[in-house]
Amino acid sequence: MSIEMEEKIVTPPPAPVPALEVRGLVKHYPGVKALDGVDFVVHQNEVLGLAGENGAGKSTLLKALVGLVKPDAGDIYVRGEKVRLRSVVNAADHGIGMVFQEQSLVPNLTAAENIVLGSEGAGVRGGVYRWDRMRRLAQEQLDKIGSPIDPLARTDSLSFADRQMVEIAKVLRIEQRSQHPPVIILDEPTSVLESKEIETLFAQVRRLRAFASVIFVSHRLDEVLDVCDRVTVLRGGRSVGDVPTADAAPAELHRMMIGSTGSDDHYHDTAFERSGEEPRPRLVVRGLSGRTFRDVDLDVHAGEIVGIVGVHGSGREDVCRALFGAEPTTAGEVTLDGDALQLSGTRAACSAGIGYVPAERKIEGMVGPMSVADNMTLTRQRARCSGPLVSPRKQASLVDSWISRLSIRTPHRGTAIQRLSGGNQQKVVLARWLVSGDVRLLLLDHPTRGLDIGARSEVYRLMRELASNGVATVLLADSLEEAIGMSDRIVVMSDGRVTAEVGCPSGAKPTPLDLVKEMV
């Protein structure tokens, strides 16, 4: 008896629909093509890293995904459905939310109020808050990420890391709007966090993966490789690569970002060696005390870069601000080239030849709607004047020369600085103190925060060049590695006091562990 066997055709299951997909996205600005046909895909329950130099198009892409920018061409698909995202609210209706690099919380409201703001629902009745219900709504979101924050705590009483958790919990409320697993965008979420806070954030990101998709943006490539499943790289407004993090390395990602092989030595330790020090320090600080620091002694010679390191709350940021007259002091003496300084305000500091680059670039370092030219000459009005009047020709010549010298990428000197990438904004802020040529002391508070490798290297090169020209520099670095790589000496602070001073000669640099021992 013959048995006829029927051939069975096994149909593979359909591929899961991506949580988010972008096809051929294009966006033009005057003189700039920010996006030039970007393609990328975010799978469900995936953490996708988005990497690229400043100016690569990341910010424009993210703004398009949350409805803040209208693309000129291309399509966006959410769970397979083609959508037009016209506003942040519209994007939230489709389940897309973003934790912005500059936090968007209202400081004098509670965490609960911030979390449910704009989507109070049952938390409000007759225009009046139902606090028990509000607290439960907020607690539900905080529980999703395992956060112990009290929903009724005022937001301005929380640490930056805890406020970041509130931002994430706030974004998770979009789940109630769309009834779909959310897509969460984290834009530089670690830029001002300490190492322990970063570990906490990463734990929450991994927890999010269980019920959401995440787009993680960071200039720290080691973080991208640590927390992401895949990395998409943008360069010049285009998608140039997509690799699983298991198969990637920082050097390879850097090569994709800049189009060539990068060097691991970004600090260029021997680029501007100095033959010797002045017999007397340029800056002498003795017994300086203030709200968060006390009895601080500090010497900085002309042409020397001195780093100050310490954990959050060590007082180092306030010391830096005090030297610029932006933080009150209660005791101590400060001299610059032998002349006593009266730390009465920032105007006096500028007149004395002190420059300051703040950590919060967008808040304290620049005026967003003003032009590149006006921001660059903001504290040096005489440099652009002929007599009592502003000379447009003199300003144009001065500004254009610094744009060229620092390779600032801007369509025009009249372009609003807020239209530039973070790295180019920082170059403009640095140039502000260079246009008159009379800066003797430069205070740098996290000058490379939020910058990519290429932009950081440019800032390092400029710092070395200024040092070689005799500028004394105080550096609050973005990492211990940066402090070690760039400093000639390092001062360690803990609980508002100087606890150690460590030499950093070329070829005999300390290790991060050497510094940590003095910081705790």
Side-chain angles (χ1 to χ4, degrees):
M1 180 177 64
S2 64
I3 300 176
E4 184 174 350
M5 302 292 293
E6 292 185 3
E7 182 179 354
K8 292 184 178 181
I9 301 175
V10 179
T11 304
V17 176
L20 180 67
E21 185 174 5
V22 171
R23 300 178 187 172
L25 220 60
V26 175
K27 179 62 182 178
H28 293 87
Y29 292 111
V32 177
K33 198 169 189 177
L35 299 177
D36 189 13
V38 169
D39 299 312
F40 88 115
V41 174
V42 185
H43 299 301
Q44 295 184 34
N45 305 110
E46 174 186 49
V47 181
L48 175 72
L50 186 62
E53 287 194 287
N54 292 103
K58 301 189 303 299
S59 294
T60 303
L61 174 59
L62 298 183
K63 289 176 181 177
L65 295 179
V66 292
L68 291 174
V69 165
K70 180 182 178 181
D72 298 322
D75 298 311
I76 299 173
Y77 295 82
V78 179
R79 290 174 291 278
E81 176 189 356
K82 184 176 176 180
V83 298
R84 286 193 174 186
L85 304 175
R86 297 179 175 86
S87 66
V88 173
V89 172
N90 183 223
D93 289 338
H94 288 286
I96 304 174
M98 180 169 170
V99 177
F100 292 88
Q101 185 174 358
E102 291 81 29
Q103 293 183 340
S104 60
L105 302 177
V106 182
N108 62 338
L109 298 184
T110 64
E113 289 173 283
N114 272 291
I115 289 170
V116 304
L117 191 63
S119 59
E120 290 86 353
V124 172
R125 176 178 291 175
V128 178
Y129 279 155
R130 302 167 63 192
W131 285 104
D132 286 345
R133 181 60 177 161
M134 287 267 289
R135 189 181 190 282
R136 287 198 297 270
L137 289 172
Q139 189 66 59
E140 181 182 347
Q141 307 308 318
L142 291 168
D143 287 345
K144 289 180 181 178
I145 55 175
S147 174
I149 296 169
D150 180 0
L152 298 184
R154 269 181 56 124
T155 304
D156 56 9
S157 71
L158 302 175
S159 69
F160 189 94
D162 284 342
R163 294 200 303 271
Q164 200 80 310
M165 295 301 109
V166 174
E167 287 272 16
I168 294 174
K170 177 181 177 180
V171 168
L172 290 179
R173 281 281 292 168
I174 64 175
E175 207 170 6
Q176 275 65 44
R177 302 177 68 105
S178 68
Q179 302 302 315
H180 290 291
V183 177
I184 308 299
I185 302 171
L186 302 177
D187 184 15
E188 295 289 346
T190 65
S191 59
V192 294
L193 300 185
E194 302 289 344
S195 58
K196 288 186 178 179
E197 296 169 332
I198 291 173
E199 291 174 8
T200 300
L201 175 66
F202 282 5
Q204 308 308 340
V205 171
R206 295 183 180 104
R207 186 189 294 257
L208 285 173
R209 184 193 282 118
F211 61 91
S213 301
V214 180
I215 300 174
F216 182 89
V217 183
S218 177
H219 288 115
R220 299 172 177 173
L221 298 183
D222 57 332
E223 293 181 354
V224 173
L225 295 175
D226 185 5
V227 79
C228 297
D229 301 302
R230 281 187 307 121
V231 185
T232 292
V233 178
L234 299 186
R235 185 175 74 240
R238 293 174 176 266
S239 314
V240 297
D242 186 280
V243 293
T245 53
D247 301 331
E252 174 64 14
L253 292 180
H254 186 212
R255 183 197 63 76
M256 294 168 65
M257 288 166 57
I258 67 175
S260 61
T261 302
S263 168
D264 290 334
D265 179 18
H266 306 298
Y267 304 115
H268 306 296
D269 181 43
T270 60
F272 294 99
E273 288 288 346
R274 290 171 291 284
S275 58
E277 296 180 342
E278 296 292 331
R280 181 179 63 186
R282 166 156 288 177
L283 174 71
V284 178
V285 178
R286 293 291 180 266
L288 194 66
S289 299
R291 181 174 53 88
T292 62
F293 56 90
R294 57 198 180 280
D295 299 325
V296 171
D297 293 342
L298 177 68
D299 293 344
V300 186
H301 291 81
E304 185 181 31
I305 299 174
V306 174
I308 305 180
V309 301
V311 299
H312 180 71
S314 65
R316 61 179 185 144
E317 288 86 0
D318 286 341
V319 168
C320 193
R321 292 175 63 84
L323 293 175
F324 190 61
E327 180 79 17
T329 58
T330 57
E333 298 179 351
V334 180
T335 62
L336 191 66
D337 287 331
D339 298 324
L341 288 181
Q342 301 300 321
L343 304 177
S344 56
T346 57
R347 184 184 295 272
C350 290
S351 298
I354 302 175
Y356 173 59
V357 175
E360 298 294 340
R361 177 175 61 246
K362 293 182 183 294
I363 298 174
E364 298 181 310
M366 66 186 217
V367 184
M370 287 176 57
S371 69
V372 169
D374 287 341
N375 270 279
M376 193 179 292
T377 56
L378 195 60
T379 59
R380 291 294 186 269
Q381 297 296 322
R382 292 180 182 176
R384 65 173 183 170
C385 292
S386 291
L389 302 176
V390 172
S391 168
R393 180 177 296 179
K394 186 175 182 181
Q395 182 183 38
S397 175
L398 178 67
V399 170
D400 286 348
S401 68
W402 280 102
I403 288 175
S404 174
R405 181 176 175 183
L406 300 183
S407 301
I408 298 172
R409 298 178 185 175
T410 178
H412 188 266
R413 76 180 81 91
T415 300
I417 192 173
Q418 63 190 9
R419 299 277 295 276
L420 273 57
S421 67
N424 288 297
Q425 290 172 353
Q426 191 72 318
K427 290 180 186 179
V428 174
V429 174
L430 280 166
R432 175 184 304 152
W433 303 108
L434 310 178
V435 293
S436 65
D438 62 357
V439 171
R440 296 183 286 168
L441 171 67
L442 190 58
L443 309 169
L444 301 178
D445 187 354
H446 295 80
T448 63
R449 175 171 290 169
L451 304 189
D452 61 69
I453 290 176
R456 289 202 304 268
S457 295
E458 283 291 311
V459 172
Y460 299 151
R461 180 193 61 79
L462 181 58
M463 288 172 60
R464 289 293 185 192
E465 182 176 339
L466 291 170
S468 71
N469 291 330
V471 174
T473 302
V474 174
L475 171 66
L476 307 189
D478 212 35
S479 67
L480 291 179
E481 289 79 8
E482 182 177 83
I484 293 167
M486 286 303 302
S487 302
D488 299 302
R489 283 186 297 117
I490 291 180
V491 171
V492 182
M493 290 190 65
S494 178
D495 296 325
R497 293 180 178 272
V498 173
T499 58
E501 181 177 306
V502 182
C504 290
S506 178
K509 297 283 189 179
T511 67
L513 183 59
D514 294 331
L515 300 180
V516 170
K517 291 176 181 177
E518 305 292 344
M519 291 165 55
V520 296

